[in-house]
Amino acid sequence: MADGSVGGMTAEKFALVRETFEANLASGADVGACFAATVEGETVVDLWGGWADEARTRPWEKDTLVNVYSTTKTMTALTALLLADRGELDFDAPVARYWPELAANGKAEVKVSHLMSHSAGLSGWKAPITLEDLYDWDKVTALLAAQAPYWTPGTQSGYHALTQGYLVGEVVRRITGRSLGTVFREEIAQPLGADFHIGLPASEDHRVADLIPPPPGGAIGDNPPNALVDNMANNPGVDVLATRTRAWRGAEIPAAGGQGNARSVAEIHVLLANGGVAKGKRILSEAGCRKALEPQIEGPDLILGVPARFGMGFGLAGGMVPLPNPNSLYWGGYGGSLIIIDMDARTTFGYAMNKMAPTTTGDLRALGLAMAMWQGLAA
Protein backbone atom coordinates (compact mmCIF):
# COMPACT_ATOMS: atom_id res chain seq x y z
CA MET A 1 0.00 0.00 0.00
CA ALA A 2 1.29 3.48 -0.88
CA ASP A 3 1.12 4.69 2.72
CA GLY A 4 2.51 1.55 4.37
CA SER A 5 -0.89 0.36 5.59
CA VAL A 6 -1.97 -3.28 5.48
CA GLY A 7 -3.11 -4.78 2.19
CA GLY A 8 -4.31 -8.22 1.18
CA MET A 9 -7.09 -10.57 2.17
CA THR A 10 -8.17 -12.59 5.19
CA ALA A 11 -10.95 -15.18 5.24
CA GLU A 12 -13.60 -14.19 7.79
CA LYS A 13 -12.76 -16.85 10.38
CA PHE A 14 -9.16 -15.60 10.52
CA ALA A 15 -9.94 -11.97 11.41
CA LEU A 16 -7.74 -12.30 14.52
CA VAL A 17 -4.77 -12.95 12.25
CA ARG A 18 -5.21 -9.58 10.56
CA GLU A 19 -5.62 -7.88 13.94
CA THR A 20 -2.40 -9.49 15.19
CA PHE A 21 -0.54 -8.55 12.00
CA GLU A 22 -1.71 -4.93 12.21
CA ALA A 23 -0.77 -4.78 15.90
CA ASN A 24 2.79 -5.92 15.14
CA LEU A 25 3.18 -3.05 12.67
CA ALA A 26 1.47 -0.47 14.91
CA SER A 27 3.67 -1.36 17.89
CA GLY A 28 6.89 -1.18 15.90
CA ALA A 29 7.58 -4.89 16.38
CA ASP A 30 7.55 -4.98 12.57
CA VAL A 31 8.63 -2.28 10.12
CA GLY A 32 7.54 -4.19 7.04
CA ALA A 33 6.21 -7.74 6.89
CA CYS A 34 4.00 -10.27 5.16
CA PHE A 35 2.05 -13.32 6.32
CA ALA A 36 0.21 -15.95 4.29
CA ALA A 37 -1.61 -19.15 5.13
CA THR A 38 -3.14 -21.99 3.13
CA VAL A 39 -5.76 -24.60 4.04
CA GLU A 40 -6.34 -27.63 1.77
CA GLY A 41 -4.21 -25.96 -0.88
CA GLU A 42 -6.24 -22.72 -0.89
CA THR A 43 -4.74 -19.42 0.25
CA VAL A 44 -6.96 -18.14 3.09
CA VAL A 45 -4.73 -15.33 4.40
CA ASP A 46 -2.41 -13.12 2.34
CA LEU A 47 -1.30 -9.96 4.14
CA TRP A 48 1.44 -7.41 3.63
CA GLY A 49 2.12 -3.97 5.02
CA GLY A 50 4.52 -1.46 6.50
CA TRP A 51 7.69 -0.31 4.84
CA ALA A 52 10.42 -1.95 2.78
CA ASP A 53 13.17 0.25 4.25
CA GLU A 54 14.13 1.56 7.67
CA ALA A 55 13.61 5.18 6.59
CA ARG A 56 10.02 4.30 5.66
CA THR A 57 10.24 5.76 2.17
CA ARG A 58 9.28 2.59 0.23
CA PRO A 59 5.96 0.92 1.07
CA TRP A 60 5.91 -2.87 1.40
CA GLU A 61 3.91 -3.93 -1.66
CA LYS A 62 2.10 -7.10 -2.67
CA ASP A 63 5.13 -8.30 -4.66
CA THR A 64 7.89 -7.11 -2.29
CA LEU A 65 10.62 -9.70 -1.76
CA VAL A 66 13.00 -10.08 1.17
CA ASN A 67 15.98 -12.25 2.07
CA VAL A 68 14.57 -14.96 4.35
CA TYR A 69 17.93 -16.42 5.47
CA SER A 70 17.52 -20.02 6.66
CA THR A 71 13.91 -20.40 5.57
CA THR A 72 15.72 -20.90 2.24
CA LYS A 73 16.85 -24.29 3.57
CA THR A 74 13.31 -25.63 3.22
CA MET A 75 13.43 -24.93 -0.53
CA THR A 76 16.76 -26.75 -0.73
CA ALA A 77 15.25 -29.67 1.19
CA LEU A 78 12.23 -29.77 -1.14
CA THR A 79 14.56 -29.94 -4.13
CA ALA A 80 16.40 -32.91 -2.61
CA LEU A 81 13.10 -34.59 -1.66
CA LEU A 82 11.98 -34.22 -5.28
CA LEU A 83 15.11 -35.97 -6.59
CA ALA A 84 14.72 -38.72 -4.00
CA ASP A 85 11.06 -39.16 -4.98
CA ARG A 86 12.17 -39.69 -8.58
CA GLY A 87 14.71 -42.31 -7.54
CA GLU A 88 17.69 -40.14 -8.52
CA LEU A 89 18.89 -39.60 -4.93
CA ASP A 90 19.14 -42.11 -2.07
CA PHE A 91 19.21 -40.39 1.33
CA ASP A 92 20.74 -43.50 2.90
CA ALA A 93 23.65 -43.58 0.44
CA PRO A 94 27.09 -42.19 1.24
CA VAL A 95 27.51 -38.69 -0.18
CA ALA A 96 30.66 -39.99 -1.91
CA ARG A 97 28.48 -42.05 -4.29
CA TYR A 98 27.49 -38.78 -5.94
CA TRP A 99 30.41 -36.56 -4.89
CA PRO A 100 33.53 -38.77 -4.56
CA GLU A 101 35.77 -35.96 -3.29
CA LEU A 102 33.73 -35.67 -0.09
CA ALA A 103 35.07 -39.05 1.10
CA ALA A 104 38.39 -37.36 1.98
CA ASN A 105 39.62 -36.95 5.55
CA GLY A 106 37.40 -39.53 7.24
CA LYS A 107 34.09 -38.68 5.53
CA ALA A 108 33.54 -41.81 3.44
CA GLU A 109 30.64 -42.85 5.68
CA VAL A 110 28.86 -39.48 5.65
CA LYS A 111 25.35 -40.11 4.30
CA VAL A 112 23.12 -37.74 2.37
CA SER A 113 20.70 -37.96 5.32
CA HIS A 114 23.44 -36.52 7.55
CA LEU A 115 23.64 -33.47 5.30
CA MET A 116 19.86 -33.08 5.45
CA SER A 117 19.80 -33.28 9.27
CA HIS A 118 22.81 -31.11 10.16
CA SER A 119 24.68 -34.10 11.55
CA ALA A 120 27.55 -34.43 9.04
CA GLY A 121 30.07 -32.67 11.30
CA LEU A 122 30.58 -29.92 8.72
CA SER A 123 28.98 -26.97 10.50
CA GLY A 124 31.60 -24.54 9.20
CA TRP A 125 34.81 -24.21 7.21
CA LYS A 126 38.14 -25.04 8.86
CA ALA A 127 40.08 -22.88 6.37
CA PRO A 128 39.57 -19.12 6.83
CA ILE A 129 37.14 -17.76 4.22
CA THR A 130 35.71 -14.35 3.37
CA LEU A 131 32.19 -13.17 2.61
CA GLU A 132 33.18 -12.96 -1.07
CA ASP A 133 34.15 -16.65 -1.01
CA LEU A 134 30.47 -17.51 -0.46
CA TYR A 135 29.89 -16.38 -4.04
CA ASP A 136 32.49 -18.89 -5.32
CA TRP A 137 30.64 -22.22 -5.40
CA ASP A 138 33.59 -24.32 -6.51
CA LYS A 139 35.90 -22.94 -3.84
CA VAL A 140 33.63 -23.38 -0.83
CA THR A 141 32.43 -26.85 -1.84
CA ALA A 142 36.00 -28.02 -2.50
CA LEU A 143 37.07 -26.82 0.95
CA LEU A 144 34.22 -28.73 2.60
CA ALA A 145 35.06 -31.87 0.62
CA ALA A 146 38.70 -31.72 1.73
CA GLN A 147 38.31 -31.05 5.46
CA ALA A 148 37.81 -33.45 8.35
CA PRO A 149 34.49 -33.37 10.23
CA TYR A 150 34.29 -31.52 13.56
CA TRP A 151 32.57 -34.50 15.23
CA THR A 152 31.69 -38.08 14.31
CA PRO A 153 29.07 -37.80 11.55
CA GLY A 154 25.62 -39.06 12.42
CA THR A 155 26.10 -38.89 16.20
CA GLN A 156 24.78 -35.40 16.93
CA SER A 157 23.32 -32.44 15.11
CA GLY A 158 25.23 -29.17 14.91
CA TYR A 159 23.38 -26.61 12.84
CA HIS A 160 25.04 -26.25 9.40
CA ALA A 161 23.91 -22.62 9.07
CA LEU A 162 25.69 -21.79 5.79
CA THR A 163 27.33 -25.04 4.79
CA GLN A 164 24.19 -27.17 4.42
CA GLY A 165 23.10 -25.43 1.24
CA TYR A 166 26.45 -25.96 -0.45
CA LEU A 167 26.62 -29.60 0.67
CA VAL A 168 23.12 -30.57 -0.47
CA GLY A 169 23.44 -28.28 -3.47
CA GLU A 170 26.61 -29.97 -4.69
CA VAL A 171 24.96 -33.39 -4.45
CA VAL A 172 22.07 -32.02 -6.53
CA ARG A 173 24.54 -30.57 -9.05
CA ARG A 174 26.46 -33.86 -9.36
CA ILE A 175 23.21 -35.76 -10.01
CA THR A 176 21.47 -33.33 -12.37
CA GLY A 177 24.29 -31.32 -13.93
CA ARG A 178 22.38 -28.18 -12.88
CA SER A 179 22.81 -25.85 -9.93
CA LEU A 180 20.40 -26.21 -7.03
CA GLY A 181 18.86 -22.80 -7.75
CA THR A 182 18.23 -23.85 -11.34
CA VAL A 183 16.62 -27.18 -10.41
CA PHE A 184 14.47 -25.44 -7.79
CA ARG A 185 13.38 -22.79 -10.27
CA GLU A 186 12.66 -25.14 -13.17
CA GLU A 187 11.08 -28.02 -11.23
CA ILE A 188 9.28 -26.28 -8.34
CA ALA A 189 9.00 -22.47 -8.45
CA GLN A 190 8.13 -21.98 -12.12
CA PRO A 191 5.55 -24.81 -12.36
CA LEU A 192 3.82 -23.34 -9.30
CA GLY A 193 4.17 -19.72 -10.39
CA ALA A 194 5.92 -19.05 -7.09
CA ASP A 195 7.93 -15.87 -6.52
CA PHE A 196 10.89 -17.37 -4.62
CA HIS A 197 14.46 -17.20 -5.90
CA ILE A 198 17.75 -18.89 -5.01
CA GLY A 199 19.87 -16.60 -7.16
CA LEU A 200 17.81 -13.47 -7.88
CA PRO A 201 17.94 -11.90 -11.36
CA ALA A 202 19.11 -8.26 -11.33
CA SER A 203 15.81 -7.30 -12.96
CA GLU A 204 14.06 -7.98 -9.63
CA ASP A 205 16.35 -5.96 -7.34
CA HIS A 206 13.92 -3.04 -7.17
CA ARG A 207 11.39 -5.26 -5.36
CA VAL A 208 13.66 -6.33 -2.49
CA ALA A 209 13.12 -4.92 1.00
CA ASP A 210 16.16 -3.91 3.06
CA LEU A 211 16.84 -6.19 6.00
CA ILE A 212 17.32 -4.18 9.19
CA PRO A 213 20.07 -5.76 11.34
CA PRO A 214 19.37 -6.79 14.92
CA PRO A 215 20.65 -4.43 17.62
CA PRO A 216 24.27 -4.69 18.84
CA GLY A 217 24.73 -7.75 21.04
CA GLY A 218 21.78 -9.54 19.46
CA ALA A 219 23.37 -10.73 16.24
CA ILE A 220 24.71 -14.14 15.25
CA GLY A 221 28.32 -14.29 16.35
CA ASP A 222 27.99 -11.87 19.26
CA ASN A 223 29.48 -13.55 22.35
CA PRO A 224 29.76 -17.12 20.96
CA PRO A 225 29.73 -19.68 23.80
CA ASN A 226 32.39 -21.95 22.27
CA ALA A 227 34.85 -22.36 19.40
CA LEU A 228 32.44 -24.42 17.27
CA VAL A 229 29.77 -21.70 17.37
CA ASP A 230 32.41 -19.04 16.80
CA ASN A 231 33.58 -20.86 13.68
CA MET A 232 30.04 -21.19 12.31
CA ALA A 233 29.15 -17.56 12.99
CA ASN A 234 32.39 -15.75 12.24
CA ASN A 235 34.10 -17.63 9.40
CA PRO A 236 32.95 -15.62 7.55
CA GLY A 237 31.08 -13.18 9.77
CA VAL A 238 27.42 -12.60 8.97
CA ASP A 239 27.00 -9.13 7.45
CA VAL A 240 23.28 -8.38 7.16
CA LEU A 241 24.00 -5.38 4.94
CA ALA A 242 25.52 -7.77 2.36
CA THR A 243 21.95 -8.90 1.59
CA ARG A 244 21.41 -5.49 -0.02
CA THR A 245 24.12 -6.11 -2.62
CA ARG A 246 23.84 -7.52 -6.13
CA ALA A 247 26.63 -10.00 -5.36
CA TRP A 248 24.68 -11.62 -2.50
CA ARG A 249 21.32 -11.59 -4.24
CA GLY A 250 22.66 -12.99 -7.48
CA ALA A 251 24.71 -15.76 -5.88
CA GLU A 252 23.21 -19.13 -5.09
CA ILE A 253 23.50 -19.48 -1.30
CA PRO A 254 20.97 -22.28 -0.77
CA ALA A 255 21.08 -22.21 3.04
CA ALA A 256 20.61 -18.48 3.53
CA GLY A 257 20.27 -16.40 0.35
CA GLY A 258 16.71 -17.03 -0.80
CA GLN A 259 14.54 -14.06 -1.77
CA GLY A 260 10.81 -14.51 -1.41
CA ASN A 261 7.77 -13.50 0.60
CA ALA A 262 5.18 -15.14 2.84
CA ARG A 263 2.91 -15.96 -0.10
CA SER A 264 5.55 -17.85 -2.07
CA VAL A 265 6.83 -19.65 1.03
CA ALA A 266 3.34 -20.74 2.12
CA GLU A 267 2.17 -21.69 -1.38
CA ILE A 268 5.29 -23.73 -2.27
CA HIS A 269 4.97 -25.77 0.93
CA VAL A 270 1.40 -26.67 0.00
CA LEU A 271 3.27 -29.51 -1.73
CA LEU A 272 4.09 -31.08 1.65
CA ALA A 273 0.79 -30.16 3.32
CA ASN A 274 -1.29 -31.45 0.44
CA GLY A 275 0.32 -34.78 -0.42
CA GLY A 276 2.54 -33.52 -3.22
CA VAL A 277 -0.03 -31.45 -5.14
CA ALA A 278 -0.12 -27.64 -5.37
CA LYS A 279 -1.89 -25.32 -7.82
CA GLY A 280 -3.47 -28.42 -9.34
CA LYS A 281 -0.08 -29.91 -10.25
CA ARG A 282 1.44 -33.06 -8.78
CA ILE A 283 5.13 -32.44 -8.13
CA LEU A 284 5.79 -35.11 -5.44
CA SER A 285 4.18 -38.38 -4.42
CA GLU A 286 2.51 -38.60 -1.01
CA ALA A 287 5.24 -41.01 0.14
CA GLY A 288 7.87 -38.59 -1.10
CA CYS A 289 6.35 -35.84 1.02
CA ARG A 290 6.17 -37.99 4.14
CA LYS A 291 9.89 -38.73 3.81
CA ALA A 292 10.42 -35.27 5.31
CA LEU A 293 8.80 -36.49 8.57
CA GLU A 294 11.27 -39.35 9.12
CA PRO A 295 13.24 -38.57 12.30
CA GLN A 296 16.99 -38.44 11.68
CA ILE A 297 18.50 -37.13 14.89
CA GLU A 298 17.46 -35.49 18.14
CA GLY A 299 19.09 -34.12 21.24
CA PRO A 300 21.10 -31.05 22.21
CA ASP A 301 22.31 -29.31 19.07
CA LEU A 302 26.03 -28.51 19.22
CA ILE A 303 25.57 -25.12 17.56
CA LEU A 304 22.09 -23.98 18.59
CA GLY A 305 22.62 -25.06 22.19
CA VAL A 306 19.04 -26.30 22.60
CA PRO A 307 17.30 -29.65 22.07
CA ALA A 308 16.47 -30.15 18.39
CA ARG A 309 14.64 -32.79 16.34
CA PHE A 310 15.47 -32.98 12.66
CA GLY A 311 13.68 -34.89 9.95
CA MET A 312 14.80 -34.85 6.33
CA GLY A 313 15.65 -31.18 5.99
CA PHE A 314 13.03 -29.80 8.40
CA GLY A 315 12.54 -29.38 12.13
CA LEU A 316 10.03 -31.81 13.63
CA ALA A 317 7.42 -31.51 16.37
CA GLY A 318 8.97 -31.79 19.81
CA GLY A 319 11.84 -29.50 18.85
CA MET A 320 12.23 -25.76 19.30
CA VAL A 321 8.84 -24.57 17.96
CA PRO A 322 5.57 -25.75 19.57
CA LEU A 323 3.54 -27.58 16.91
CA PRO A 324 0.01 -28.95 17.20
CA ASN A 325 0.63 -32.52 16.10
CA PRO A 326 3.45 -34.94 15.22
CA ASN A 327 2.89 -34.71 11.46
CA SER A 328 4.13 -31.13 11.37
CA LEU A 329 7.30 -29.55 10.02
CA TYR A 330 8.89 -26.15 10.34
CA TRP A 331 11.98 -24.07 9.91
CA GLY A 332 12.82 -20.42 10.23
CA GLY A 333 15.44 -17.88 9.27
CA TYR A 334 17.82 -15.60 11.13
CA GLY A 335 15.86 -12.56 12.27
CA GLY A 336 12.39 -14.09 12.32
CA SER A 337 11.05 -15.58 9.06
CA LEU A 338 9.18 -18.86 9.51
CA ILE A 339 7.31 -21.63 7.72
CA ILE A 340 5.03 -24.12 9.51
CA ILE A 341 3.54 -27.09 7.64
CA ASP A 342 0.82 -29.22 9.26
CA MET A 343 0.21 -32.35 7.17
CA ASP A 344 -2.80 -33.44 9.23
CA ALA A 345 -4.64 -30.10 9.01
CA ARG A 346 -3.25 -29.63 5.46
CA THR A 347 -2.19 -26.11 6.32
CA THR A 348 0.87 -23.92 5.83
CA PHE A 349 1.76 -20.63 7.53
CA GLY A 350 4.49 -18.38 6.14
CA TYR A 351 5.93 -15.18 7.62
CA ALA A 352 8.68 -12.87 6.41
CA MET A 353 9.80 -9.43 7.55
CA ASN A 354 12.65 -6.93 7.34
CA LYS A 355 13.13 -5.91 11.00
CA MET A 356 15.34 -8.64 12.42
CA ALA A 357 14.82 -9.77 16.01
CA PRO A 358 17.83 -10.33 18.30
CA THR A 359 18.95 -13.95 18.60
CA THR A 360 19.15 -13.51 22.36
CA THR A 361 15.42 -12.95 22.94
CA GLY A 362 12.30 -14.89 22.06
CA ASP A 363 10.70 -13.60 18.84
CA LEU A 364 6.94 -14.10 19.08
CA ARG A 365 5.80 -12.27 15.92
CA ALA A 366 5.43 -15.32 13.69
CA LEU A 367 4.25 -17.59 16.50
CA GLY A 368 1.59 -15.05 17.51
CA LEU A 369 0.25 -15.12 13.96
CA ALA A 370 0.39 -18.92 13.93
CA MET A 371 -1.55 -19.08 17.20
CA ALA A 372 -4.20 -16.77 15.75
CA MET A 373 -4.43 -19.12 12.76
CA TRP A 374 -4.83 -22.17 14.99
CA GLN A 375 -7.58 -20.36 16.90
CA GLY A 376 -9.42 -19.69 13.65
CA LEU A 377 -9.00 -23.29 12.48
CA ALA A 378 -10.46 -24.57 15.74
CA ALA A 379 -13.49 -22.27 15.60
Side-chain angles (χ1 to χ4, degrees):
M1 303 293 282
D3 57 358
S5 58
V6 173
M9 55 79 67
T10 316
E12 190 176 342
K13 67 189 294 186
F14 302 114
L16 180 60
V17 178
R18 188 182 185 105
E19 289 173 26
T20 305
F21 186 80
E22 290 175 339
N24 285 346
L25 288 165
S27 69
D30 273 319
V31 171
C34 48
F35 179 82
T38 70
V39 179
E40 299 278 357
E42 297 298 319
T43 301
V44 295
V45 177
D46 184 5
L47 298 171
W48 61 88
W51 303 92
D53 61 333
E54 195 168 9
R56 300 178 186 241
T57 63
R58 286 195 294 139
W60 191 294
E61 307 280 6
K62 179 179 182 177
D63 68 346
T64 294
L65 301 171
V66 70
N67 192 99
V68 297
Y69 274 121
S70 286
T71 299
T72 311
K73 289 181 173 70
T74 66
M75 306 302 180
T76 299
L78 271 176
T79 306
L81 286 163
L82 177 61
L83 294 187
D85 198 33
R86 292 176 176 170
E88 298 175 44
L89 171 62
D90 180 355
F91 288 127
D92 203 39
V95 175
R97 176 188 296 180
Y98 309 104
W99 179 7
E101 296 89 336
L102 195 100
N105 239 325
K107 302 193 301 303
E109 304 304 314
V110 172
K111 296 180 179 182
V112 179
S113 60
H114 296 155
L115 305 184
M116 298 289 284
S117 58
H118 303 275
S119 61
L122 296 167
S123 53
W125 287 270
K126 292 198 173 181
I129 65 167
T130 65
L131 173 67
E132 288 68 30
D133 288 331
L134 298 181
Y135 313 145
D136 185 340
W137 186 275
D138 290 342
K139 178 174 182 175
V140 291
T141 54
L143 287 172
L144 289 169
Q147 74 185 45
Y150 282 104
W151 65 90
T152 304
T155 60
Q156 270 184 282
S157 70
Y159 190 49
H160 291 36
L162 275 174
T163 57
Q164 191 200 40
Y166 295 107
L167 292 163
V168 176
E170 182 63 7
V171 172
V172 169
R173 191 179 75 84
R174 297 293 178 114
I175 291 170
T176 66
R178 293 175 287 164
S179 71
L180 184 130
T182 302
V183 177
F184 168 76
R185 182 180 71 251
E186 294 178 353
E187 308 288 347
I188 296 174
Q190 284 181 344
L192 299 182
D195 196 8
F196 194 99
H197 311 264
I198 302 174
L200 184 75
S203 60
E204 308 309 308
D205 273 344
H206 67 283
R207 298 198 285 131
V208 183
D210 293 343
L211 280 181
I212 302 165
I220 285 180
D222 289 341
N223 310 308
N226 58 55
L228 198 60
V229 176
D230 186 42
N231 169 261
M232 178 280 294
N234 293 308
N235 183 35
V238 179
D239 178 6
V240 170
L241 299 185
T243 65
R244 302 184 188 182
T245 66
R246 172 90 298 264
W248 175 279
R249 293 172 183 173
E252 291 193 15
I253 304 172
Q259 311 283 338
N261 51 36
R263 182 186 314 109
S264 59
V265 171
E267 291 184 351
I268 286 170
H269 285 95
V270 165
L271 286 172
L272 294 182
N274 222 33
V277 177
K279 300 286 179 75
K281 295 176 181 169
R282 176 163 293 285
I283 307 282
L284 286 154
S285 71
E286 180 124 24
C289 293
R290 298 193 76 79
K291 196 84 184 162
L293 287 167
E294 293 182 7
Q296 299 302 308
I297 200 149
E298 64 180 288
D301 187 274
L302 293 168
I303 296 291
L304 299 174
V306 294
R309 293 190 75 229
F310 286 112
M312 207 67 83
F314 292 82
L316 301 180
M320 294 170 280
V321 171
L323 297 175
N325 68 63
N327 294 320
S328 298
L329 305 162
Y330 73 95
W331 203 246
Y334 177 36
S337 66
L338 183 68
I339 176 66
I340 294 174
I341 304 134
D342 183 337
M343 290 188 179
D344 287 350
R346 296 167 82 89
T347 63
T348 67
F349 310 154
Y351 168 77
M353 75 302 129
N354 59 356
K355 182 180 180 181
M356 297 175 66
T359 58
T360 49
T361 58
D363 178 14
L364 298 177
R365 293 171 297 178
L367 278 179
L369 290 160
M371 288 190 284
M373 278 299 305
W374 283 319
Q375 228 174 297
L377 286 166

